[in-house]
Amino acid sequence: QAKALQVSLKNTSHLNSMISSMLNFARMEAGKLMFDLVHQKLPTRINESLYSLRPIAENRNISLQTTFAADLPTVIFDPELMHRVVCNLVENAIKFSQPGSTVNIVVSQHSPNLVKVEISDRGCGIPADKLEMIKTPFYQVVRSDTRPTSGLGLGLAICEKILIGHGTNLTIESHENEGTVCSFFLKTAPGAAA
């Protein structure tokens, strides 16, 4: 009974996550997503997001390694929506990485006006002919040997819409059987000093 309950709870959580993703995407498509942009340091928000993902990573024997450049300036972003972007990208990196590997999260100052966030893994990568389609809603690269969990194919589409609302977009570089690098930029707050 305990095992059946545990399975039921896991499936309920998964179903809730899928429904939430669909509702969020529908809201975005309808142009009803509200952005609460604040001026904040990014490493704090990223660390909070990673805290919720560490159990998932540990369960797959994957380490999450962060590198934050010294004296990063304050940037402009919606904390809740940025949490969703970071969680989606890091969870994908975990999902497609081999046990024992590392997912790297690097935040650096790209220019006086931009901070760069880069999330990389050494996982299965994305075939070159699928790379252009990967941010399309409901699109998934179906490979049974490399997809340990199911989803809706909305994660990257949601990330892209959130980032567009921040005046940026998601860049994905990937090589099959070598890994994937997802990156985006955020604007520094006016008058923010490094």
Side-chain angles (χ1 to χ4, degrees):
Q1 286 179 334
K3 188 175 180 181
L5 182 60
Q6 190 176 16
V7 170
S8 296
L9 287 171
K10 185 177 179 182
N11 288 337
T12 301
S13 175
H14 184 59
L15 183 61
N16 184 55
S17 176
M18 293 175 98
I19 292 169
S20 177
S21 291
M22 291 182 73
L23 290 173
N24 286 329
F25 187 75
R27 198 175 292 121
M28 291 175 190
E29 285 289 273
K32 293 183 178 177
L33 184 67
M34 304 297 291
F35 289 83
D36 182 19
L37 299 175
V38 299
H39 297 182
Q40 200 174 85
K41 295 277 189 176
L42 197 52
T44 302
R45 170 51 59 181
I46 289 178
N47 280 330
E48 288 172 0
S49 300
L50 295 182
Y51 181 78
S52 65
L53 294 172
R54 287 197 189 279
I56 299 169
E58 287 168 5
N59 191 46
R60 297 205 64 226
N61 191 28
I62 290 167
S63 8
L64 302 179
Q65 178 72 46
T66 56
T67 305
F68 300 134
D71 301 321
L72 284 165
T74 301
V75 292
I76 306 167
F77 64 96
D78 180 309
E80 203 54 47
L81 294 177
M82 195 49 55
H83 170 76
R84 194 173 302 167
V85 169
V86 172
C87 283
N88 274 341
L89 295 179
V90 174
E91 196 167 359
N92 267 0
I94 293 168
K95 188 188 298 183
F96 294 107
S97 289
Q98 292 298 318
S101 63
T102 300
V103 171
N104 290 290
I105 302 95
V106 178
V107 183
S108 58
Q109 183 142 15
H110 180 73
S111 71
N113 300 319
L114 293 173
V115 166
K116 183 179 184 181
V117 179
E118 187 175 276
I119 295 161
S120 61
D121 65 66
R122 302 293 296 167
C124 60
I126 303 163
D129 61 333
K130 311 292 186 197
L131 201 50
E132 281 187 28
M133 298 291 293
I134 201 70
K135 291 189 279 186
T136 305
F138 302 105
Y139 183 83
Q140 294 178 320
V141 178
V142 180
R143 284 176 55 177
S144 59
D145 60 328
T146 59
R147 190 166 187 91
T149 57
S150 60
L152 289 170
L154 279 177
L156 293 178
I158 288 173
C159 287
E160 178 76 342
K161 286 195 174 291
I162 290 172
L163 291 171
I164 286 171
H166 283 76
T168 184
N169 67 314
L170 179 64
T171 299
I172 303 173
E173 299 171 44
S174 189
H175 299 282
E176 200 168 5
N177 301 317
E178 290 182 20
T180 302
V181 179
C182 294
S183 62
F184 59 90
F185 296 97
L186 290 174
K187 295 173 185 173
T188 59

